[in-house]
Amino acid sequence: MSNKKGIFVSCSEANHFCDKNQYKEATFWEKVKLNIHLIYCRACRKYTAKNMKLTKLVKNPKVISINHSDKEAMKERLKQKM
C-alpha cells in the first residue's frame, strides 16, 4: 500500500479498506477514503455491494437441515437404489 497521505486511493487499497470495514477493523480515515473512492469507481462499488451481501448471508444463513432420522432414511434409500 502506498504511504501517500492523500484522500484518493487505488482500487486495491479501497478493496482492502472494504474488507477491513466488513470485519469492523477499518479506521475512520480508511472509511472516509473508501467512501470517496466509491463515489467515482463503479468496479469498487460492485465489489463493496457483493462484500456486504456476503457478510449479510454469513451472519444470517437461512439454512434448514433435516433431522437425523430423515437423514438415515435417505441413506438407506440410496443404498437400496445402488
Side-chain angles (χ1 to χ4, degrees), residues 74-82:
M74 287 174 66
K75 283 182 182 179
E76 286 301 316
R77 283 193 305 245
L78 282 171
K79 284 181 184 177
Q80 290 173 1
K81 298 282 182 177
M82 296 170 120

Side-chain angles (χ1 to χ4, degrees), residues 46-67:
K46 285 183 179 182
Y47 178 84
T48 300
K50 288 180 181 180
N51 218 7
M52 289 175 14
K53 184 176 180 180
L54 177 64
T55 300
K56 183 179 175 184
L57 289 172
V58 168
K59 283 185 178 179
N60 189 17
K62 294 184 178 170
V63 177
I64 301 170
S65 61
I66 62 175
N67 61 35

Side-chain angles (χ1 to χ4, degrees), residues 4-78:
K4 294 186 264 183
K5 298 199 186 240
I7 59 172
F8 294 102
V9 295
S10 68
C11 289
S12 63
E13 286 178 301
N15 289 338
H16 181 70
F17 295 157
C18 177
D19 293 340
K20 286 177 72 172
N21 193 33
Q22 178 183 3
Y23 297 107
K24 310 282 190 248
E25 297 173 353
T27 66
F28 172 76
W29 286 112
E30 289 172 338
K31 292 177 187 178
V32 169
K33 290 177 183 182
L34 173 63
N35 286 320
I36 289 171
H37 184 83
L38 294 177
I39 291 170
Y40 63 86
C41 184
R42 180 187 292 186
C44 288
R45 280 195 305 269
K46 285 183 179 182
Y47 178 84
T48 300
K50 288 180 181 180
N51 218 7
M52 289 175 14
K53 184 176 180 180
L54 177 64
T55 300
K56 183 179 175 184
L57 289 172
V58 168
K59 283 185 178 179
N60 189 17
K62 294 184 178 170
V63 177
I64 301 170
S65 61
I66 62 175
N67 61 35
H68 185 69
S69 60
D70 290 341
K71 186 176 180 180
E72 291 301 318
M74 287 174 66
K75 283 182 182 179
E76 286 301 316
R77 283 193 305 245
L78 282 171

